[in-house]
C-alpha cells in the first residue's frame, strides 16, 4: 500500500478501513470529524480528543480503549531485551487512526520560527513565559546578539512550500491560542508574577545584575521563584517544554566543557516525566516518526529542509518524512508536516504499536504484603489500609484484567486464596521461611472484578484476624521472595507495609543506630545498606517488571537505609511514618489515610523504560532517582508514577561551537493501566552560549540546588556526610568566586553574585540545615535516610519546598494581588524570609514545608483572627494539638482556608497541618525550619555569607 | 643449567599470567559492551563477578610463590597490585566480592570509566610482567 501513495490527493485510494483503536470522544471535546474523502488513503477514522477537564488522578485519558486479551498467557521478560528500540523498521502499516489534540496551536506565521533572531537580551532574562503572550509573535526579531547566532540549524525552514499546500493551511484562528495556556497549568500566575520583573530593564540583563549579598538584606523575593525562561526567540520559547516537566540547571548551555568548568556550576536536567497533565496531545498513528540513526522522536525543534525531508535536531541526520505524516489530521489538510501536533507540542504522547512490545501489555497487578506481627497490630495501620482499600477498590487504575492479591507475614508467611467460587477467603500458611514456595499455583492473584466479594470479605476480616497475635518476629525477606515469585510471571506493583526491623530469614537486619551519635557533628555512619539482599531482590524484581513500594510505619529504628534499596532499584517509592500509631498519633494516621488515597488512585505505568537523548556533544553522566540504569541512557522502570522525579548530570564531551541550540528529549515508554503501550515524549530546547556572563545569566538556581542535593546524597553514602557538606559549601564558594573574577572591575567590598544566583548561598545553607545533611542537631538515622530518599526521588517543585519552606503571614490576608481559581479568590500573601525576626508576636504565620504545614500563632496575635479563623475566643484557649481549621463563616476564615486549599491542591500528597502556639513544645519543630537563623550547630545566613566570602578571598 | 624452584615459579607464573591477560582482555570487552549498550549490566556483571575471585587468587598465588622462592624483586613488583586487590576485595559493598562490579552503579559514567581504566592498566601490567617472567625464567634456567 505504501508504495502507491506517492501522490497526495490521488483518487485511487482504498476505502478507509475501520480503526483498531476506537477512542471515545468525551463531552466538551469537539466531535469527531468526518474523514475527508479521497484526500488520503489512510484516513484517520476516529479522532478522539484528550479531555482538558479530566482530573489529574484519573488513570487514563480515554474512557474506552483496546482491551488486549492476549496477555492471558504472559511470558516473563528477558531483562535484556525490553527496549524501546525494539524494531528498527517503522514502515507504515495498513490501518491508521489519528487521535490528536484539538487544542494544538498553529501559529499563523511560520517564518517567525525560522530565524535565529534572538529577542532582546534585556527583556528575555526574567520576562514572562511564553504561553501567555502567544497571540502576538515577536513583531521584529530585535537586535540579535551576533551574526553567528543568526545561523541556526533549527527551526522550520520551508523554502519550497508549494502554493497549493498553503491554501489548505487554514490555521485555526487566534481562538485556539486561548487554550494553549491550559497546557501549562500554573503559568498564568507565573507570568503575572514575573511581569513586574521584566519591566526594570537595565543595560544588562536583570539576571546578571551584580548583587552584593552581604549588604542586600532581603534576597528572597516576595513572590515564589519561577524557573528562568531560556533565552530563545519567542516562537521557540512558546514551543518549549514546560519547566514543570523538564528543567535544566543552566538555561544557557556553555559551548565547551572548559567554559562549564570556569563557571563552576553543575550541569544537569531535572525531570518530572510522568507528571499529571491537564492537557496532553495524544497521537495515534501507525508511523511514529523518528530519526533513522539516533531514534529521536520528531519534535518541534527539528527543521524541515523541504517538503519531504526533515533534519534531526540531535544527530543532524536528514530523514524522509513518511507519507502518512504529510497528512495533518488537525487541519485535515495534506502536505503540512510542520503543522502536525507532534511538531507543534513539545510534550506529546504516542499510542505505540506492537513494535514497541516484547510481550502483550501486562494487566495491572497489585500485591499487598502486610506485616501482621505484634508490633504492627499495636500500631494499628491495618485497619486504615483495609478501609482505604475498600473505599478505593473501584478507583484502582486498571481494566477488566486487573489482578490483586494479599500476603501477610510475621514469623510465617500467609497467603490468601481468593479464587472466585470460594465462599470464604482461604488462608494458606507457609512456615518454611528458609525455602519459600507458593502453596498453590493460582488463586493468589485474582481478578479484581471476578473475586470482588471475596476481596471485600478479606479486607473486612483482616484487621481483626491478628489482634491477639503474640508473634513479634518479622520475616520480611522471605515474604518478599514469595512476593517476587508470585509477581514474576506478570510484573506489577508490590506494596510492602513494614513496622519493624526484619528479624527472621533472609535479609534479617540488626539495629545499627547508636542513639548517642544522633547529634554527633563528626561522623554519621550506616548511611549505606547493611546487606545486599534487598538490592539483589530489587534487581530481580526490576528484571521481572515488578516494583516494590515500601511503607515503613515504625516507631523504632528499622534500618531504612537497607530496606530502601528494595524500592530504590526497582523504581518503587518509599513512604515513612515515624512513630506511627493509630490513636496516639492521629496526625500521622491522617497522613497515611490521605497518602494511601493518592497512592491507590493515582495513575500508574507498568513495564516502563525511559530514554534520555541529547544533542551530539553532550552526554549523560550520572542518573538520580529510583530506577535501574540499563545502559548509558536507558533507565528501566518497573513502574512509573506521577510523583516520581529524576535528575541527570550532564557533561559536555565535544565542543558545541557549530550549533546555537541544543535539545534534550526524554521518551518514556510504558504500559498504561488500561493495557495500552504509550510513549510520552518531552523535548526541551536551550541556547548555547560562549561567554561566562551568559552562562551565569541563564543559571537556574533551584534546579542547580536540587541537582547538588542529589549529588550530595550520593557523596554522603559513598564517602561521608562531612565530605558532602564540604562539597555543598565549595559549590557556592567556587561559583561565586568564578563570578567574582568576571566582574573584577567592580569594587570588591562584599560578596558579589549575579541576580540569577542571589539565592544560591541561601539555598545551600538551607540544604545544610536539612534533615538529610545537618549535623549537630539530633537527627534519627531513619529520618535522615528518609530525607535522602526523598531528595533522590522527589520532583523539583516538591523538593524545593522541602529544602526551603515558604513562610507567609496569614493574619492579614487581603485580596490584593489575589488570583482566581475555579471561582474562588485565593489571596497571595508575600513570602517572608525564614527568620525569627519576621515572626512578630502579633501575627500568625503559615509555613509550607511540602509535606507539612505549620501555622504559628504569636502570643499577642489579634484575637479577631483567632476567633474568626481558629474558632477560639483567645490565645490561651487554643489547644496544643490542632490539626484542622474549622469552617467558619467569616471572611478571614474563608480567605485562609481558600489559600490553604490552594496550596494543598498544588501537591500530590496532602500535607498535614499543625497549629503551633508560640509557647507549645512543638514550636521547636517549627523553628528548626527557620534556616536563616543561627542555631548552636550551624551558621546564620549572614555568618554563612561571611564564611563564603572568607573562603573566596583565601 | 639447572631446574631450580625459582625457575619453576617463573614457568608457572608465565602460564598463569597468560590466563590473567585473558581475564583482563575479557574485562575490557565486557565494559566496552556495556558502554556501547550491547548488554544489560545484570547479565554483564554476573560473569565478571565469576572472574574476580579466580583472578585475585591466582595473583596471590604468584606472590606466595615468589616469596617462597625468595625472588624479592619480582615480589616487590607485585606487592602493590596485591594490596590493591586486597583493598578492592574488602572495600566492596556489604556482601563481599561478588558485587565488586555492582550492576547498580556500574552504569554511572565515573564508575564505568574507572572500571575500564582499571582493566586496561591490569592488562598492561600483566603483559609487561609476562615478558618479565619469561626473561627471568630463561635467566634462572641459564645462570645456574
Amino acid at each position: 500500500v505504501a508504495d502507491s501513495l506517492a501522490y497526495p490527493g490521488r483518487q485511487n485510494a482504498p476505502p478507509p478501513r475501520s480503526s483498531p483503536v476506537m477512542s471515545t470522544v468525551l463531552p466538551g471535546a469537539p466531535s469527531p470529524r468526518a474523514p475527508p474523502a479521497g484526500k488520503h488513503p489512510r484516513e484517520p477514522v476516529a479522532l478522539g480528543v484528550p479531555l482538558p477537564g479530566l482530573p489529574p488522578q484519573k488513570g487514563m485519558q480515554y474512557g474506552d480503549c483496546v482491551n488486549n486479551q492476549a496477555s492471558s498467557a504472559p511470558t516473563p521478560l528477558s531483562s535484556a531485551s525490553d527496549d524501546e528500540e525494539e524494531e528498527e523498521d517503522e514502515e507504515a502499516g495498513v490501518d491508521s487512526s489519528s487521535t490528536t489534540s484539538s487544542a494544538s496551536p498553529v501559529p499563523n506565521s511560520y517564518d517567525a520560527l525560522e530565524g535565529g533572531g534572538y529577542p532582546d537580551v534585556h527583556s528575555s532574562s526574567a520576562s514572562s513565559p511564553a504561553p501567555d503572550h502567544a497571540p502576538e509573535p515577536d513583531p521584529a526579531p530585535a537586535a540579535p546578539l551576533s551574526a553567528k547566532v543568526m545561523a541556526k540549524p533549527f527551526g522550520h525552514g520551508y523554502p519550497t512550500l508549494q502554493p497549493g499546500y498553503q491554501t489548505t493551511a487554514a490555521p485555526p484562528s487566534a481562538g485556539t491560542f486561548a487554550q494553549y495556556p491550559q497546557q501549562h497549568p500554573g503559568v498564568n500566575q507565573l507570568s503575572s508574577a514575573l511581569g513586574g520583573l521584566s519591566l526594570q530593564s537595565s543595560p544588562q540583563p536583570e539576571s546578571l545584575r551584580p548583587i552584593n549579598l552581604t549588604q542586600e538584606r532581603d534576597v528572597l523575593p516576595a513572590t515564589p521563584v519561577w524557573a528562568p525562561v531560556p533565552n530563545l526567540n519567542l516562537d521557540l520559547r512558546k514551543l518549549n517544554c514546560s519547566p514543570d516537566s523538564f528543567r535544566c540547571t543552566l538555561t544557557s548551555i556553555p559551548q565547551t566543557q572548559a567554559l562549564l568548568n570556569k563557571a563552576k556550576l553543575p550541569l544537569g536536567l531535572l525531570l518530572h516525566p510522568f507528571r499529571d497533565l491537564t492537557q496532553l496531545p495524544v497521537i495515534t498513528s501507525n508511523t511514529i516518526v523518528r530519526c533513522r540513526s539516533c531514534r529521536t522522536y520528531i519534535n518541534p525543534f527539528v527543521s524541515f529542509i523541504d517538503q519531504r525531508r526533515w533534519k534531526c535536531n540531535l544527530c543532524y541526520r536528514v530523514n524522509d518524512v513518511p507519507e502518512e505524516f504529510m497528512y495533518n489530521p488537525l487541519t485535515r489538510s495534506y502536505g503540512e508536516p510542520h503543522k502536525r501536533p507532534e511538531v507543534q507540542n513539545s510534550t506529546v504522547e504516542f499510542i505505540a504499536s506492537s513494535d514497541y512490545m516484547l510481550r502483550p501489555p501486562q494487566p495491572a497487578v497489585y500485591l499487598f504484603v502486610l506485616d501482621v506481627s505484634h508490633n504492627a497490630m499495636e500500631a494499628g495501620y491495618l485497619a486504615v489500609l483495609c478501609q482505604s482499600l475498600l473505599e478505593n477498590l473501584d478507583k484502582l487504575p486498571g481494566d477488566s484484567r486487573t489482578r490483586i492479591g494479599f500476603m501477610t507475614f510475621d514469623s510465617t508467611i500467609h497467603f490468601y486464596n481468593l479464587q472466585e467460587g470460594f465462599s470464604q477467603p482461604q488462608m494458606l500458611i507457609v512456615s518454611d521461611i528458609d525455602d519459600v514456595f507458593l502453596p498453590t499455583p493460582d488463586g493468589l492473584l485474582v481478578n479484581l472484578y471476578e473475586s470482588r466479594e471475596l476481596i471485600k470479605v478479606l479486607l473486612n476480616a483482616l484487621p481483626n484476624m491478628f489482634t491477639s497475635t503474640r508473634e513479634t518476629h518479622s520475616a520480611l525477606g522471605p515474604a518478599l521472595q514469595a512476593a517476587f515469585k508470585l509477581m514474576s510471571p506478570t510484573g506489577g506493583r508490590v506494596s510492602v507495609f513494614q513496622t519493624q526491623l526484619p528479624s527472621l530469614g533472609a535479609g534479617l537486619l540488626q539495629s545499627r543506630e547508636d542513639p548517642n551519635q544522633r547529634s554527633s557533628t563528626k561522623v554519621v555512619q550506616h548511611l549505606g545498606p547493611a546487606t545486599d539482599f534487598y538490592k539483589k531482590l530489587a534487581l530481580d524484581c526490576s528484571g521481572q517488571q515488578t516494583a516494590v513500594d515500601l511503607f515503613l510505619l515504625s516507631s523504632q529504628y528499622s534500618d531504612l537505609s537497607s530496606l530502601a534499596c528494595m524500592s530504590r532499584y526497582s523504581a518503587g517509592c518509599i513512604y515513612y511514618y515515624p512513630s506511627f500509631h493509630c490513636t496516639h498519633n492521629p496526625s500521622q494516621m491522617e497522613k497515611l489515610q490521605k497518602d494511601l488515597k493518592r497512592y491507590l488512585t493515582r495513575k500508574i505505568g507498568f513495564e516502563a523504560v525511559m530514554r534520555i537523548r541529547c544533542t551530539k556533544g553532550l552526554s549523560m553522566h550520572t542518573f538520580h532517582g529510583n530506577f535501574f540504569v540499563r545502559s548509558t541512557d536507558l533507565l528501566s522502570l518497573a513502574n512509573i508514577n506521577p510523583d516520581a522525579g529524576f535528575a541527570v548530570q550532564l557533561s559536555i564531551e565535544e565542543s558545541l561551537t557549530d550549533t546555537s541550540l541544543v535539545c534534550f528529549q526524554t521518551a518514556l515508554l510504558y504500559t498504561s493501566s488500561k493495557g495500552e503501550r504509550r510513549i510520552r515524549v518531552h523535548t526541551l530546547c536551550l541556547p548555547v552560549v560562549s561567554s561566562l556572563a551568559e552562562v551565569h545569566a541563564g543559571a537556574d538556581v533551584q534546579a542547580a540546588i536540587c541537582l547538588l542535593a542529589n549529588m550530595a546524597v550520593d557523596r554522603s553514602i559513598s564517602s561521608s556526610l562531612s565530605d558532602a557538606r564540604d562539597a555543598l559549601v565549595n559549590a557556592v564558594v567556587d561559583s561565586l568566586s568564578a563570578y567574582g573574577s568576571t566582574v573584577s572591575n567592580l569594587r570588591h567590598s562584599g560578596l558579589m553574585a549575579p541576580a540569577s544566583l542571589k539565592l544560591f548561598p541561601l539555598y545551600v545553607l538551607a540544604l545544610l540545615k536539612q534533615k538529610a545533611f545537618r549535623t549537630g542537631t539530633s537527627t534519627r538515622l531513619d529520618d535522615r535516610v528518609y530525607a535522602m530518599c526523598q531528595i533522590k526521588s522527589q520532583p523539583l517543585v516538591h523538593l524545593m519546598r522541602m529544602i526551603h519552606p515558604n513562610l507567609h503571614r496569614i493574619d492579614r490576608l487581603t485580596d490584593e494581588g489575589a488570583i482566581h481559581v475555579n471561582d474562588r479568590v485565593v489571596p497571595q500573601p508575600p513570602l517572608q524570609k525564614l527568620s525569627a525576626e519576621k515572626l512578630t508576636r502579633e501575627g500568625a504565620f503559615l509555613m509550607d514545608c511540602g509535606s507539612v504545614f505549620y501555622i504559628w500563632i504569636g502570643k499577642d496575635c489579634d484575637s479577631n483572627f483567632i476567633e474568626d479563623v481558629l474558632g477560639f475566643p483567645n490565645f490561651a484557649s487554643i489547644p496544643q494539638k490542632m490539626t484542622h481549621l474549622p469552617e467558619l463563616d467569616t471572611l478571614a476564615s474563608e480567605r485562609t482556608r481558600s489559600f490553604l486549599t490552594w496550596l494543598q491542591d498544588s501537591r500530590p500528597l496532602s500535607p498535614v497541618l499543625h497549629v503551633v502556639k508560640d509557647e507549645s513544645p512543638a514550636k521547636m519543630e517549627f523553628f528548626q525550619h527557620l534556616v536563616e537563623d543561627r542555631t548552636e550547630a550551624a551558621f546564620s545566613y549572614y555568618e554563612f555569607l561571611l564564611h563564603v566570602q572568607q573562603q573566596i578571598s583565601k | 643449567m639447572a631446574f631450580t624452584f625459582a625457575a619453576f615459579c617463573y614457568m608457572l607464573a608465565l602460564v598463569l599470567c597468560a590466563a590473567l591477560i585473558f581475564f583482563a582482555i575479557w574485562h575490557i570487552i565486557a565494559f566496552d559492551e556495556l558502554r556501547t549498550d550491547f548488554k544489560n549490566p545484570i547479565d554483564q556483571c554476573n560473569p565478571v563477578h565469576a572472574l574476580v575471585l579466580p583472578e585475585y587468587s591466582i595473583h596471590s598465588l604468584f606472590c606466595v610463590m615468589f616469596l617462597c622462592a625468595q625472588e624479592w624483586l619480582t615480589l616487590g613488583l607485585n606487592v602493590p597490585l596485591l594490596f590493591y586487590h586486597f583493598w578492592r576485595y574488602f572495600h566492596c559493598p556489604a556482601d563481599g566480592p561478588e558485587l565488586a562490579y555492582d550492576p547498580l552503579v556500574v552504569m554511572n559514567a565515573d564508575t564505568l570509566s574507572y572500571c575500564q581504566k582499571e582493566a586496561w592498566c591490569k592488562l598492561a601490567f600483566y603483559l609487561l610482567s609476562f615478558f618479565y617472567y619469561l626473561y627471568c625464567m630463561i635467566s634462572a634456567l641459564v645462570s645456574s
Side-chain angles (χ1 to χ4, degrees), chain A residues 21 95 176 447 454:
Chain A
V21 176
D95 288 332
T176 48
N447 188 298
L454 276 182

PDB file of all heavy atoms in Angstrom, chain A residues 21 95 176 447 454:
ATOM      1  N   VAL A  21      -8.265   1.065  16.955  1.00  0.00           N
ATOM      2  CA  VAL A  21      -8.400   1.796  18.209  1.00  0.00           C
ATOM      3  C   VAL A  21      -9.607   2.703  18.118  1.00  0.00           C
ATOM      4  O   VAL A  21      -9.672   3.581  17.275  1.00  0.00           O
ATOM      5  CB  VAL A  21      -7.151   2.657  18.476  1.00  0.00           C
ATOM      6  CG1 VAL A  21      -7.341   3.470  19.727  1.00  0.00           C
ATOM      7  CG2 VAL A  21      -5.949   1.777  18.567  1.00  0.00           C
ATOM      8  N   ASP A  95      -3.563   0.058   8.540  1.00  0.00           N
ATOM      9  CA  ASP A  95      -4.605   0.850   9.174  1.00  0.00           C
ATOM     10  C   ASP A  95      -3.999   2.005   9.934  1.00  0.00           C
ATOM     11  O   ASP A  95      -2.919   1.913  10.463  1.00  0.00           O
ATOM     12  CB  ASP A  95      -5.371  -0.013  10.165  1.00  0.00           C
ATOM     13  CG  ASP A  95      -6.225  -1.000   9.429  1.00  0.00           C
ATOM     14  OD1 ASP A  95      -6.623  -0.676   8.307  1.00  0.00           O
ATOM     15  OD2 ASP A  95      -6.464  -2.082   9.979  1.00  0.00           O
ATOM     16  N   THR A 176      -7.673  29.533  19.142  1.00  0.00           N
ATOM     17  CA  THR A 176      -7.021  28.335  19.667  1.00  0.00           C
ATOM     18  C   THR A 176      -5.927  28.679  20.645  1.00  0.00           C
ATOM     19  O   THR A 176      -5.580  27.887  21.489  1.00  0.00           O
ATOM     20  CB  THR A 176      -6.408  27.512  18.534  1.00  0.00           C
ATOM     21  OG1 THR A 176      -5.672  28.405  17.726  1.00  0.00           O
ATOM     22  CG2 THR A 176      -7.460  26.772  17.763  1.00  0.00           C
ATOM     23  N   ASN A 447      -8.547 -11.921  39.755  1.00  0.00           N
ATOM     24  CA  ASN A 447      -9.149 -10.827  39.026  1.00  0.00           C
ATOM     25  C   ASN A 447     -10.006  -9.991  39.972  1.00  0.00           C
ATOM     26  O   ASN A 447     -10.852 -10.510  40.685  1.00  0.00           O
ATOM     27  CB  ASN A 447     -10.004 -11.385  37.898  1.00  0.00           C
ATOM     28  CG  ASN A 447     -10.504 -10.281  36.999  1.00  0.00           C
ATOM     29  OD1 ASN A 447     -11.239  -9.400  37.445  1.00  0.00           O
ATOM     30  ND2 ASN A 447     -10.079 -10.306  35.755  1.00  0.00           N
ATOM     31  N   LEU A 454     -15.118 -11.667  47.554  1.00  0.00           N
ATOM     32  CA  LEU A 454     -14.154 -12.320  48.446  1.00  0.00           C
ATOM     33  C   LEU A 454     -13.121 -11.328  48.952  1.00  0.00           C
ATOM     34  O   LEU A 454     -12.715 -11.364  50.113  1.00  0.00           O
ATOM     35  CB  LEU A 454     -13.436 -13.450  47.701  1.00  0.00           C
ATOM     36  CG  LEU A 454     -14.152 -14.792  47.650  1.00  0.00           C
ATOM     37  CD1 LEU A 454     -13.305 -15.803  46.922  1.00  0.00           C
ATOM     38  CD2 LEU A 454     -14.414 -15.268  49.071  1.00  0.00           C
TER      39      LEU A 454
END
